[in-house]
Structure formats: C-alpha cells, structure tokens
Amino acid sequence: MLQASPRVVAPAGPGTPSEDGSGSGVRQVLDVVAQSAACYPGLLRMMGSPRWKRLLRANTEPLREARLLEAPLRELLAQGDGGSPGLLRQRERLEVLARKRLAHFTRRGEAPLGEMLGRLETLLSEPRPQPPGGDEPVLLEGRQGLRHLLSWPGTWVFALLVLTNRYGLERFGRPAPMLFAGGALVLYYYLRCTGRFWLTAKRLMWQPRFGEPVQVSLASIGSGGISALPAWGEVRVEGDRAFTVRHAGRAGLLASLLDLHRQSPFAGEVDGTPRVHEVSVLPAWRAPESARSAKQAEPGVAVLRPGYAAFLPAERYADVFRGLAGPGSRKPEADVTVELLVEHMRLLSEPEFDVRMRQVVHASGGELWHADEVRPELAAGGGRVRLGARGVGMELLADAAQAEATDRIVRRWAA
C-alpha cells in the first residue's frame, strides 16, 4: 500500500491569503487529492477483506490518515474541487464500508465519514475485554446448555425437514445425508450460537465459543437497548456496543438485571459488593391477627432491620422490581424473585437501602412496622417467630443461616 504523508495540509479557502497567492492554494488542493488517492486504495482493500478486524487492529494508521484527510476533502467538495471521478467513487465506497463495519460494533445512527472512521479507529485500538477478575464481583454468569438446542429455530427447521422426508427415507433407505446434515447443524450451533457471559455492576461481557469477546458498559444502555427472547435463551443489548448473548441460559434473569443496574439507584453507585450487613431476610406469611378472620395467610419475604420490619408479598415481584427500576421498566421474568431483588438492594448504601425498602413496600402492597411497635413472640411448634402490629401479623420461618442476624436485630428492638 502506498503510504500517505503524515502531514495533512488543509486547503486555503476562497478568501484565505497565502504566500504565493493562487499558486499555493492550487498546490494545497493537489496535495489533499494526492494524499487521498494514495490512502484510499489500501484502506479499501483492508476494510473489504474477510479479516478486516485483524488487519486494522494490526495497523490503524490508514484509518487515522483517512480521518485527517476527510475535513479538507469535504471542503474541496463544497468548493467543487473534489478531484477525479475515480477518487469520488473510492470515497463513496469507503463510506459504505465504514458504515457496514461500524454496524458490527454498534447500531447508533448515521454519522459523517470522518466520525465513522474515528469511531472505528477508537474501537479497533482498544484492548480485547477480559473476564472479570477477583477485584470485580460477578452479579450473574451463565453458559450455553444443550437444552437450548431444542429451542433453537434451526433445530425446528431440521425436524420439519425430517418429518416431511420420512417416507422418502423409508422407501430409499438412505439416512446418511440426513444424519450428516443433522451433525453439521449441531456443530454449527455449538461453534457459532453458544458461549458464556458475565454481568458485573459496570459491564456485560459475552464470550462466544468461536470468535472474539465483546462487552458493553451498562451506563451506555438506553431505555430501549435491551430485548430478550427467554424461550430461545437470547438477549440483545445495544449501547456503546451492540451484540446478542445467544443460548447461554438464564436469559430472562439477565435481561431484568441489566435493566435494573443500568439506571438509578444502582448505576454508578454499586460495585457488586454487599454494603448492608445488619439485615435478615426470611420466608414469611402475612395474615390478620384476628383468629376469626377467614383470610388465608399470604406468602412473602420478611426483611428485618434494626429500625423496622417489612413484609413483601412473594407474588408481587413485578411491583417490587418496578419500585426499584421505575414504572417504565420492562416486566421481569418469573425467576426474578423478591428474595433476589432484596439481595441486590443490599449492594446499595444503608440509607439508600432503607429509602428503597419503603418505596417497594408501598409499591407492592406490603407492610412496614417500626421497631417500637412490633411485638415479637415465639409461635407454637418452634422454629417460628410472630411479629404483629396494627391488626396484621407476620409469621417468620426461622432460618439457620439467618439465625444470628435475626436474633441480634430482635434484641435491638427490645433494647
């Protein structure tokens, strides 16, 4: 490839003075046209190659040269001095290729050629993402499972072909081509449609089984940047990068946690480590304290804090989620339980946890009693604790893992 001079000379405008008058302006025009003619062919070959990412990562200098030439060349085009028709065709082809290659990373709108080249230069200069280390707690991770092979559309197409050709196979007795096609389909699925993901408080990383890893910053994901097909195990994310997590399992949970952590109060405020320790989360049932009431006990989750006790109905997990993520958030999947949401609330600071707990209690129709009004007592049968106030009672199922925290909090109430 012909190497362009690193010095890009901007053309003189119609009213710009120069040492040699019009002769200097003509030389500047010729310099820009010559540099463009030298830069474009090599860059077009690199960007048109199937190995374009590898070639441009090894040498981003052609992208930089073309980006620096774009401003003076656009000025020449505006003045009607854009060079030969061949150069203009090369520039148009470069614009088409730049848009196509940039779409591999992101779907963010149209942009001028110079801006697209700059984005590509930045993206291809970045080091490849690495899986989270010990200093970056993982909120959720998953990998592909063969169970998703049954939900893959390609499997259903192949099964349809087998069913429609069943009589032909029985008649001619040649199952080898169909078996070969089935094996090739499974191999394609294994290599191209599976992988592993890691979700942290800052980013989502996807490592396909065959190909390079990609990641997206949670802060860059907009309100419409998450779409999911849980039945197929796929989550589509669009932010500063755009990619699809394919057949990795737990897709519904992943989409919901992405929506939760991309915005306040979690975005930029948590690091993935629990910060609320004086808390006990237990299974519980809510029912009126009156023995004559025919209302059945409602299952849920009890949250005990030094200053209060709260009850969140288990079936109102969607309301709890919206109380945290906002009314415009997506509807969470059924595997987003109330217990899980409380665990994620523990990543917040203690004052923020208490504020959000009151919000989700109100949003879900739960209960909240202050420490000075609850009346803890042991229930008959052992292993259970009753709390009650204002005509409503809550029965807790003692948990060995939470026994110490529960006892410590209840003692502080009585102090």
Side-chain angles (χ1 to χ4, degrees):
M1 182 185 75
L2 295 175
Q3 295 293 326
S5 171
R7 179 172 176 266
V8 178
V9 183
T16 305
S18 60
E19 295 179 1
D20 300 327
S22 61
S24 176
V26 171
R27 282 197 300 274
Q28 290 175 342
V29 170
L30 293 176
D31 283 344
V32 171
V33 172
Q35 291 177 48
S36 301
C39 175
Y40 284 174
L43 181 57
L44 285 171
R45 283 195 299 272
M46 296 172 72
M47 294 186 68
S49 170
R51 299 181 297 117
W52 63 276
K53 281 191 289 187
R54 183 182 301 177
L55 294 173
L56 290 173
R57 279 200 174 99
N59 181 20
T60 58
E61 185 64 19
L63 283 172
R64 187 186 71 85
E65 293 176 4
R67 175 176 59 82
L68 293 176
L69 286 167
E70 183 58 19
L73 190 58
R74 285 178 65 89
E75 187 174 348
L76 292 181
L77 291 174
Q79 297 173 5
D81 296 325
S84 65
L87 181 62
L88 296 180
R89 285 195 297 270
Q90 287 181 337
R91 183 180 176 277
E92 290 175 358
R93 186 182 168 210
L94 180 62
E95 187 171 6
V96 171
L97 274 175
R99 185 175 296 108
K100 179 180 178 181
R101 298 315 186 196
L102 190 61
H104 183 82
F105 297 99
T106 179
R107 300 289 187 271
R108 290 189 172 177
E110 295 291 328
L113 176 58
E115 184 177 340
M116 290 192 292
L117 293 174
R119 288 185 192 175
L120 282 172
E121 182 184 0
T122 301
L123 291 168
L124 293 169
S125 299
E126 292 177 350
R128 295 189 180 186
Q130 298 297 321
D135 58 343
E136 188 178 12
V138 176
L139 303 178
L140 183 70
E141 65 177 297
R143 63 177 71 239
Q144 89 293 339
L146 288 179
R147 66 185 182 88
H148 289 109
L149 179 62
L150 299 178
S151 62
W152 184 44
T155 303
W156 291 98
V157 172
F158 178 75
L160 214 69
L161 289 174
V162 171
L163 290 175
T164 54
N165 290 275
R166 180 168 60 90
Y167 294 106
L169 291 174
E170 291 175 354
R171 180 178 179 182
F172 298 106
R174 295 179 180 177
M178 194 65 71
L179 291 175
F180 177 80
L185 194 73
V186 172
L187 184 62
Y188 175 84
Y189 167 81
Y190 184 75
L191 294 178
R192 299 293 295 177
C193 300
T194 63
R196 186 177 181 183
F197 72 83
W198 295 268
L199 174 65
T200 71
K202 306 297 181 184
R203 62 178 176 135
L204 170 66
M205 178 180 166
W206 166 243
Q207 172 65 73
R209 186 170 296 277
F210 181 78
E212 62 181 27
V214 290
Q215 68 179 11
V216 62
S217 166
L218 301 191
S220 69
I221 303 175
S223 58
I226 304 170
S227 57
L229 292 172
W232 291 1
E234 293 189 358
V235 177
R236 176 73 179 172
V237 183
E238 292 190 17
D240 52 7
R241 302 290 188 278
F243 59 87
T244 301
V245 175
R246 299 181 184 277
H247 307 287
R250 311 176 80 184
L253 181 58
L254 173 60
S256 297
L257 292 184
L258 279 171
D259 202 15
L260 188 69
H261 283 271
R262 70 172 182 83
Q263 56 189 324
S264 177
F266 295 92
E269 301 296 329
V270 301
D271 61 1
T273 304
R275 298 159 67 185
V276 179
H277 302 288
E278 286 294 319
V279 63
S280 179
V281 183
L282 304 170
W285 290 263
R286 176 176 64 173
E289 287 189 309
S290 173
R292 292 179 297 177
S293 175
K295 187 175 180 181
Q296 293 184 348
E298 181 181 12
V301 175
V303 181
L304 311 183
R305 286 277 288 152
Y308 61 86
F311 175 84
L312 299 172
E315 295 182 356
R316 303 292 294 275
Y317 65 91
D319 297 316
V320 175
F321 181 84
R322 292 194 181 99
L324 289 173
S329 59
R330 58 182 290 116
K331 182 180 179 181
E333 299 299 323
D335 49 0
V336 181
T337 63
V338 173
E339 293 93 332
L340 177 68
L341 293 173
V342 174
E343 286 302 311
H344 280 264
M345 288 173 63
R346 292 183 59 195
L347 304 176
L348 302 168
S349 64
E350 290 202 356
E352 187 69 30
F353 177 92
D354 294 334
V355 170
R356 299 294 171 174
M357 180 57 64
R358 286 168 171 79
Q359 288 183 357
V360 299
V361 165
H362 176 73
S364 63
E367 301 285 347
L368 190 142
W369 300 282
H370 293 287
D372 56 0
E373 63 178 341
V374 295
R375 301 184 303 276
E377 60 183 43
L378 288 175
R384 295 174 183 264
V385 179
R386 280 204 184 112
L387 303 175
R390 301 192 302 272
V392 180
M394 177 171 66
E395 188 172 297
L396 315 180
L397 179 62
D399 186 344
Q402 298 281 344
E404 182 180 351
T406 303
D407 183 63
R408 184 169 59 249
I409 292 171
V410 171
R411 288 190 182 198
R412 290 185 63 176
W413 291 348

